[in-house]
Amino acid sequence: MALYEHVFLARQDLAQAQVDALAEMATKIVEDNAGKVVKTETWGLRSLAYKIAKNRKAHYVMLELDAPAGVVAELERQVQINEDIIRYMTVKVDALEAGPSVMMRKGERDGRRRDREGGDRPRRDRDGFDGE
């Protein structure tokens, strides 16, 4: 079986429970057709680069799949029908990522950056002089 990453964007006005139900629906479709969902990640409500169907934000969800191509075709067909999902993308990958994805690690990286900013480095004013 082939390995895939499937990401979909759900409407901004959905509750988190409804987004989780959409992920469960996708999982059920894959498992009913002899596939396997290896990992599910909810990336949360994020701003879009541009409006899509009058939405400025969307709930992002990623599924890592181990399934034959026919299962992916059925999943995409069902997602196209669902009006709560505004965009989706499925990508075939050589290997699934171990541990959290890059999107999940981004929060950890930002936290470390904030810790560094408050460090021992002296602050300079607009003219380039130390504040002392």
Side-chain angles (χ1 to χ4, degrees):
M1 285 194 273
L3 303 173
Y4 298 93
E5 288 182 356
H6 177 77
V7 178
F8 67 85
L9 281 61
R11 288 191 342 231
Q12 64 186 359
D13 57 344
L14 298 179
Q16 187 61 44
Q18 292 170 307
V19 175
D20 293 340
L22 288 173
E24 287 297 320
M25 181 253 331
T27 301
K28 185 175 181 334
I29 291 169
V30 171
E31 291 176 351
D32 287 349
N33 291 304
K36 179 181 170 190
V37 176
V38 178
K39 180 170 54 172
T40 303
E41 287 184 357
T42 303
W43 295 341
L45 186 65
R46 298 180 161 270
S47 295
L48 299 171
Y50 53 90
K51 282 172 122 178
I52 300 173
K54 299 183 182 178
N55 291 287
R56 293 187 182 275
K57 294 185 175 191
H59 294 274
Y60 285 66
V61 178
M62 182 190 71
L63 305 170
E64 290 186 351
L65 311 173
D66 184 6
V71 174
V72 174
E74 175 62 18
L75 176 62
E76 289 183 345
R77 187 185 73 78
Q78 292 287 333
V79 165
Q80 283 177 340
I81 295 170
N82 194 328
E83 55 190 42
D84 289 334
I85 297 175
I86 56 176
R87 286 284 192 276
Y88 68 91
M89 182 171 64
T90 307
V91 179
K92 186 174 183 179
V93 294
D94 294 329
L96 297 176
E97 201 170 333
S101 68
V102 173
M103 292 298 286
M104 297 301 281
R105 289 191 305 246
K106 183 177 186 282
E108 297 169 9
R109 184 181 70 225
D110 290 344
R112 286 194 312 264
R113 183 178 297 143
R114 275 192 290 270
D115 293 342
R116 237 184 8 239
E117 287 174 357
D120 299 333
R121 190 172 56 183
R123 300 278 179 202
R124 299 187 185 267
D125 63 9
R126 289 178 49 191
D127 297 329
F129 296 105
D130 292 337
E132 298 173 1

